[in-house]
Structures are given as structure tokens and as C-alpha cells.
């Protein structure tokens, strides 16, 4: 055998070893059809020609019937005379929201009509929480016009209590994170409102642009509603310190960004600065976005921020913020005293720059212990389709997000006008699946195939009654030197809510060293040597 042949063989062996050393990544399989999801979104017309029709819709992933399986609520548009053209008038009274019950066998059944949650308004977003601590998760639908609030009866049906509850906010609402801001044990709700549409009167725009943008309209103030404990809510926006009359909120999220045990509120606004309301722990908030580097993205530029998602991407024990937008998006790393714009150096800008981002998911899709990014894309002014992105965290000190979209399934080679994104473990197999809402089109349900080749742990934290999610708690998981944190919150990303169960990838570890729950109020509960690959339910100890 000659030297050349030996070198060739040696080279092939080395290449083979290198390839075998690379982890086999999961893929996402589109199971929308086989799952029986037939819902199709409509903005109430046949052609998109204004900012209301362009906003799209989201989804809510929650367990409405308490069977341990995540269900999906989809929000639909309606024909509305002050928004839509007459050509769409034949859609009047034909468009409804959908509630897909998880059957536990890979299929879903739309039960919205029998459950009483078809809805009546032109819908955009949704969220769910047990506001009355009875163990059943209630549903809030955000509309163009009065919002709708449905109390869960505990028997598979809901009762519309919109008017009597005080939550029929009359503005154009897009997002509503739940937060016990005053620490009284009752969940309050922050309603993110967008802008004041003028029924199409403003016409000073170039026709080729599609329609006027957000700065052509006045913004609307968001609202904070305090839970009175008797089935009603009172608006406390001004007294709580979160009143901004000209905001243009695209979505909002509650999370503990400064690690003081209280949920803060982050609001992403369209074509203007974002808001960060830091919770004082005394029933009030202080707006600190500009001083902390959270007001603007892309190195100080004003951008059209969409739906924020929050997680500790660099595993330093502090929550970071990712915000899709109409160009490069923004990845803001929490450096304790300020947030550092890391969009460029982490290669997020390189991947996102050619797209228009809307919904996102910050999840550990391959269970290696590090959070990855999924982004749904679609043109903002026309029904022009774009591919979605999957960016994998390299898990190194030199933090990089690597575009693995092309190798992650057929779905990433298809194009949609993407909007809201939600996630959950729909088949309870230990890896996170994704649902994507598309404008004027069917959603796509993407099953994670292969994420559970690594070990995992799902922690469900419940209040004293053992049924109500402990919104505002923080779960910390230690495996060797790796520390992972996740706040128990539902609303994440554009117009949507995801699985409230906290999910942790453990890599090859067969157990955790420590699971720590910081309950609302600050009490700590610890569990040691918790085995991997299980759904761990932890009920708050009255003595803790």
C-alpha cells in the first residue's frame, strides 16, 4: 500500500471519528394533519391591507381539563366593519376560536363549542391561569375591542364572566401575563394594549408599502388589573406605576429579572422604546428600561419589537431577554447591573437579519442543558412567506447560536407567514414540541423527535391545594457545575402562552444534585438526588 493510499485511509478514519463525535440532533416533524388539527386562522378578510389584519394571532397551551395533557387554544379573527373590507363580509359569523383537547394518543379534538369558548370578538392573543385558586385553569382572550374572560367550571366547560369580572378591556389588547404583583396570594393580570386604529382614514403612505405602520396611529395605555378575590378585578395602572398613555405594546412578559423574588414586567413596543417595570415588592413598580439597556435593541436603534422570551442562555444564574423584530432581533444578556446587547457576537444577527421575526421559543430542544432559540418569521406588510429558524446554543463560554434549521426537519424548508409561537410537551415524552400560528393559514404542530435521547426533568410546582400552579415561583436545578433556573410563568413570546411546567435538560446525568424551589413569598424548598426522566410534582409545604 502506497503512502498516498495510507494517508487517504487515515484521513477518512479521522473524518469518520469527527463525525461520530458530533451529537445527533433531534428533528421536528410536522404532525398537524395526523393530529387532527383542522383550524385555520383568518383576519376576517381575503386580502391583508391594514395593520390590524397584519398582526396575526397566538395560541395558549394549557391543561384545561386537568388530565395531565397539554391542550391548545387557537384565537381567530372576525369580520369587523371598522377593520375589514366589504369583500370579506361573507365571513361574518363564520369565524370562531378553537380549543383542541389532547386525546393522549397523538390526536386532538376541537371541543370549543361544547366547552363554551368559541368567542365573539376579533381575537389576537390568549393566556390562562387559575385566578380563583379552585384548581381549574381559567382562560383570557385578547381582542380588538372588549376582551373575553372565561371561568373554568371544572367539568370541561367555561362560563363567560367578561363583564362582571371587570376584564372586558375595551382597547386593542394583544397579551396578558398573570402576576401576583402585591403578594396577596391572588393572581392579577397585566394587559398589553397596542394602538388606536382609525378605521383606515390615514392614507399618507406609499401603496407599495402595503399599509401604514404603527407610528401613523396613537398608542394605547396598558392596564394592570388587581384581583379582588371575589371574582372581580380593579384597574390599578396609575397607582402601581405602570401607566404609559402612548405605548404600543406588541406583547408583555412577567419574570424575575433582578433575582429579588418578585416578578417584574417587560413590555416590547412597536417602533419605540420598550418598558421594563421593576417590582418594588411593595405593590408598585419602577420603570428602568433605559438605564438598564432594555429600552432599545440593535445597539440603541428603535426597532419593531415583537414577543419577548426570557431564559438564562449563558447559565450565569440571571435571566436574559430575546426579542424578535423586523430585522436582526435582539439578544440582551443580563450582566446583573445592566443588559449587554450580544446579538451580533453570538451570531443571532447573522441568522435573523434576512427575516422578519414574530413569535419565538427559548427552549432546550435537545436536552443538553442549554437553551436554544426557535423563531417564526413572516413579512409584516404583505402575505409574503418566510422560513422559520432553529438556533442551537453551543453551550460554551464563547456563547454562539448556530443555525441548524436545514438539518432539523422538512418543516424548516417550507415557508409561512408566521406569527405566534407556543410550546409544550404534548406527548409527555420529555422533550418540548412547538406549535406555530400562521397568518390567514393553518397552524403547524411540530413534534420533537429525538430530544429525549438526552436525560431531562420536568418540575410541576403547585400551591397548597395541590392543583393550582404556583405562578411566580422559581425552580433551580443543579447538575455538577451546571445551574439552570426557570420562573413559573405561562405567557412567553408573541400573543401566546406556553406549557407552565418547568423543563430542564440534563444531558447524560442520571440525576440532579439539587432541585430548589423558591416559592412566592421567598420560602425555599430543596430536594436532593432527584432521578432524571420524570415529571416531578412538588406541592408547597405549609411549614416551609
Amino acid at each position: 500500500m502506497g503512502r498516498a493510499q495510507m494517508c487517504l485511509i487515515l484521513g477518512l478514519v479521522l473524518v469518520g471519528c469527527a463525525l461520530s463525535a458530533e451529537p445527533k440532533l433531534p428533528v421536528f416533524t410536522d404532525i398537524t394533519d395526523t393530529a387532527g388539527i383542522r383550524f385555520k386562522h383568518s383576519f376576517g378578510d381575503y386580502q391583508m391591507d391594514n395593520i390590524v389584519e397584519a398582526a396575526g394571532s397566538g395560541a395558549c397551551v394549557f391543561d384545561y381539563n386537568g388530565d395531565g395533557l397539554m391542550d391548545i387554544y387557537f384565537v381567530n379573527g372576525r369580520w369587523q366593519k371598522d377593520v375589514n373590507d366589504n369583500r370579506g363580509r361573507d365571513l361574518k359569523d363564520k369565524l370562531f376560536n378553537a380549543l383542541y383537547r389532547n386525546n393522549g394518543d397523538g390526536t386532538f379534538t376541537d371541543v370549543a363549542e361544547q366547552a363554551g369558548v368559541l368567542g365573539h370578538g376579533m381575537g389576537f392573543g390568549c393566556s390562562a391561569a387559575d385566578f380563583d385558586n379552585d384548581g381549574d385553569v381559567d382562560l383570557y382572550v385578547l381582542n380588538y375591542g372588549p376582551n373575553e374572560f372565561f371561568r373554568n367550571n371544572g367539568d370541561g366547560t367555561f362560563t363567560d364572566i367578561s363583564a362582571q369580572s371587570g376584564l372586558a378591556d375595551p382597547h386593542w389588547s394583544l397579551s396578558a401575563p398573570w402576576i401576583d404583583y402585591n403578594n396577596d396570594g391572588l393572581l392579577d393580570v397585566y394587559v398589553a394594549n397596542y394602538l388606536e386604529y382609525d378605521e383606515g382614514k390615514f392614507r399618507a403612505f406609499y401603496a407599495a408599502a402595503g399599509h401604514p405602520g404603527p407610528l401613523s396611529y396613537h398608542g394605547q395605555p396598558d392596564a394592570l388589573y388587581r384581583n379582588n378575590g371575589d371574582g372581580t378585578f380593579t384597574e390599578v395602572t396609575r397607582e402601581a406605576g405602570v401607566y404609559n398613555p402612548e405605548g404600543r405594546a406588541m406583547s408583555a412578559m412577567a419574570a424575575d429579572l433582578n433575582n429579588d423574588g418578585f416578578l417584574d414586567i417587560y413590555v416590547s413596543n412597536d417602533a419605540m422604546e420598550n418598558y421594563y417595570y421593576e417590582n418594588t415588592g411593595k405593590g408598585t413598580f419602577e420603570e428602568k428600561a433605559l438605564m438598564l439597556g432594555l429600552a432599545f435593541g440593535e445597539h440603541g436603534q428603535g426597532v419593531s419589537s415583537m414577543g419577548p422570551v426570557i431564559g438564562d442562555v449563558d447559565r450565569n444564574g440571571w435571566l436574559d431577554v430575546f426579542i424578535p423584530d423586523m430585522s436582526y432581533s435582539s439578544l440582551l444578556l443580563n450582566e446583573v447591573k445592566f443588559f449587554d446587547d450580544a446579538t451580533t457576537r453570538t451570531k443571532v444577527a447573522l441568522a435573523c437579519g434576512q427575516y422578519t421575526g414574530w413569535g419565538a421559543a427559548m427552549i432546550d430542544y435537545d436536552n443538553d442543558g442549554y437553551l436554544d432559540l426557535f423563531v417564526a418569521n413572516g413579512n409584516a406588510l404583505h402575505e409574503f412567506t418566510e422560513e422559520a429558524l432553529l438556533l442551537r446554543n453551543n453551550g460554551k463560554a464563547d456563547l454562539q447560536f448556530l443555525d441548524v434549521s436545514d438539518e432539523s426537519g422538512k418543516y424548516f424548508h417550507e415557508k409561512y407567514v408566521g406569527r405566534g409561537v407556543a410550546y409544550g410537551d404534548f406527548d409527555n415524552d420529555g422533550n418540548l414540541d412547538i406549535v406555530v400560528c400562521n397568518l390567514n393559514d393553518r397552524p403547524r404542530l411540530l413534534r420533537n423527535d429525538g430530544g429525549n435521547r438526552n436525560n431531562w426533568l420536568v418540575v410541576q410546582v403547585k400551591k397548597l391545594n395541590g392543583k393550582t400552579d404556583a405562578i411566580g415561583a422559581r425552580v433551580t436545578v443543579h447538575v455538577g457545575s451546571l445551574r439552570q433556573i426557570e420562573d413559573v410563568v405561562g405567557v412567553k413570546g408573541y400573543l401566546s402562552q406556553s406549557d407552565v411546567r418547568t423543563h430542564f435538560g440534563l444531558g447524560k446525568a442520571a440525576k440532579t444534585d439539587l432541585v430548589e424551589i423558591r416559592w412566592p413569598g421567598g420560602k425555599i424548598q430543596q430536594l436532593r438526588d432527584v432521578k432524571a426522566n420524570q415529571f416531578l410534582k412538588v406541592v408547597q409545604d405549609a411549614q416551609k
Side-chain angles (χ1 to χ4, degrees):
M1 181 182 295
R3 179 177 295 179
Q5 290 177 305
M6 291 181 64
C7 289
L8 176 61
I9 294 172
L10 180 60
L12 292 173
V13 170
L14 291 174
V15 169
C17 291
L19 290 174
S20 63
E22 288 294 317
K24 185 178 181 181
L25 298 180
V27 298
F28 284 94
T29 303
D30 186 342
I31 60 168
T32 312
D33 292 334
T34 57
I37 294 178
R38 305 285 181 255
F39 172 80
K40 182 179 180 181
H41 173 261
S42 170
F43 44 65
D45 205 344
Y46 295 107
Q47 180 177 327
M48 183 181 79
D49 57 12
N50 63 62
I51 197 168
V52 182
E53 294 177 346
S57 70
C60 184
V61 173
F62 72 122
D63 182 7
Y64 88 95
N65 57 357
D67 64 354
L69 301 170
M70 291 295 119
D71 312 296
I72 312 173
Y73 187 78
F74 292 106
V75 182
N76 211 352
R78 302 290 193 280
W79 182 85
Q80 193 150 318
K81 65 179 181 180
D82 59 341
V83 173
N84 306 117
D85 290 338
N86 280 332
R87 62 174 173 256
R89 195 180 187 93
D90 63 330
L91 295 172
K92 185 179 180 182
D93 300 325
K94 294 181 181 178
L95 301 174
F96 304 99
N97 303 339
L99 173 60
Y100 276 90
R101 184 189 65 215
N102 190 333
N103 299 322
D105 59 0
T107 67
F108 292 76
T109 301
D110 185 2
V111 296
E113 184 172 9
Q114 51 264 52
V117 291
L118 287 172
H120 299 92
M122 186 177 193
F124 290 88
C126 47
S127 64
D130 182 7
F131 87 102
D132 51 5
N133 289 329
D134 66 350
D136 305 307
V137 185
D138 311 292
L139 178 65
Y140 194 27
V141 182
L142 295 315
N143 294 327
Y144 178 89
N147 296 334
E148 297 173 274
F149 188 41
F150 299 98
R151 185 184 63 216
N152 194 325
N153 299 321
D155 60 1
T157 68
F158 293 78
T159 299
D160 187 339
I161 60 169
S162 308
Q164 59 264 43
S165 69
L167 289 184
D169 191 303
H171 298 95
W172 179 9
S173 303
L174 296 183
S175 180
W178 293 85
I179 171 175
D180 182 8
Y181 82 98
N182 56 358
N183 304 307
D184 64 354
L186 300 168
L187 286 178
D188 316 292
V189 64
Y190 183 93
V191 178
N193 294 319
Y194 191 20
L195 52 78
E196 186 178 336
Y197 184 62
D198 64 356
E199 302 181 20
K201 295 172 184 172
F202 182 84
R203 307 301 300 172
F205 69 99
Y206 294 105
H211 54 77
L215 296 182
S216 302
Y217 310 98
H218 287 293
Q220 291 181 329
D222 298 344
L224 177 63
Y225 291 94
R226 184 187 66 218
N227 189 334
N228 299 321
D230 59 1
T232 67
F233 291 77
T234 299
E235 187 191 336
V236 294
T237 313
R238 286 179 173 83
E239 65 188 74
V242 294
Y243 180 71
N244 273 297
E246 281 290 329
R248 295 178 180 84
M250 295 296 279
S251 283
M253 183 173 177
D256 182 10
L257 290 186
N258 62 346
N259 284 4
D260 66 351
F262 303 105
L263 292 183
D264 312 296
I265 299 172
Y266 186 72
V267 183
S268 57
N269 289 307
D270 198 358
M272 58 178 286
E273 74 274 15
N274 300 325
Y275 302 145
Y276 166 58
Y277 298 112
E278 192 168 273
N279 193 331
T280 66
K282 302 175 182 178
T284 59
F285 296 81
E286 295 179 1
E287 209 287 304
K288 295 184 176 181
L290 185 60
M291 65 181 292
L292 292 176
L294 286 168
F296 298 100
E298 297 182 17
H299 303 289
Q301 300 178 47
V303 297
S304 296
S305 298
M306 305 304 185
V309 290
I310 295 177
D312 182 11
V313 297
D314 53 3
R315 295 308 190 201
N316 69 344
W318 296 78
L319 293 174
D320 312 299
V321 183
F322 174 74
I323 315 151
D325 61 38
M326 292 181 66
S327 49
Y328 299 102
S329 298
S330 296
L331 178 62
L332 307 176
L333 298 184
N334 192 336
E335 301 295 344
V336 184
K337 293 185 178 180
F338 66 94
F339 283 76
D340 179 33
D341 188 338
T343 316
T344 300
R345 72 170 186 267
T346 58
K347 296 187 178 179
V348 168
L350 179 65
C352 294
Q354 61 184 307
Y355 298 108
T356 308
W358 294 81
M362 186 182 285
I363 59 174
D364 184 4
Y365 87 104
D366 55 356
N367 284 330
D368 67 347
Y370 295 92
L371 295 174
D372 313 294
L373 292 171
F374 174 94
V375 187
N377 302 303
N379 192 273
L381 298 171
H382 304 275
E383 290 185 68
F384 296 162
T385 57
E386 299 178 5
E387 303 98 339
L389 284 171
L390 182 61
L391 307 180
R392 183 172 182 264
N393 189 329
N394 68 354
K396 298 179 180 179
D398 179 23
L399 177 64
Q400 303 278 296
F401 282 90
L402 309 178
D403 189 348
V404 295
S405 309
D406 284 348
E407 56 194 283
S408 298
K410 179 182 176 183
Y411 168 80
F412 294 94
H413 297 269
E414 301 169 348
K415 296 184 179 183
Y416 300 91
V417 187
R419 291 298 188 259
V421 170
Y423 62 83
D425 188 353
F426 294 108
D427 47 9
N428 286 343
D429 67 347
N431 50 32
L432 290 170
D433 314 298
I434 296 173
V435 58
V436 186
C437 300
N438 297 310
L439 184 73
N440 205 30
D441 198 354
R442 292 177 61 198
R444 312 313 298 180
L445 179 59
L446 307 177
R447 186 185 65 210
N448 186 331
D449 290 328
N452 55 11
R453 283 193 290 265
N454 278 325
N455 294 328
W456 52 272
L457 178 68
V458 173
V459 184
Q460 308 171 74
V461 292
K462 301 290 184 178
K463 289 185 175 182
L464 293 173
N465 64 10
K467 296 181 179 179
T468 301
D469 294 313
I471 300 296
R474 169 169 289 185
V475 181
T476 303
V477 170
H478 297 259
V479 177
S481 61
L482 183 65
R483 176 179 56 166
Q484 304 180 52
I485 63 173
E486 187 173 345
D487 287 349
V488 181
V489 293
V491 174
K492 304 166 186 174
Y494 187 61
L495 309 182
S496 300
Q497 172 162 320
S498 293
D499 192 342
V500 76
R501 301 175 298 185
T502 58
H503 178 275
F504 301 92
L506 304 181
K508 299 305 178 184
K511 65 180 181 63
T512 69
D513 297 313
L514 176 68
V515 174
E516 180 178 277
I517 297 97
R518 185 192 66 197
W519 297 99
K523 300 295 184 180
I524 302 294
Q525 188 170 345
Q526 295 183 334
L527 303 168
R528 298 188 181 277
D529 298 324
V530 176
K531 291 183 179 180
N533 304 328
Q534 64 166 310
F535 287 80
L536 176 68
K537 180 179 177 180
V538 183
V539 178
Q540 187 172 9
D541 188 338
Q543 303 301 316
K544 296 292 182 181

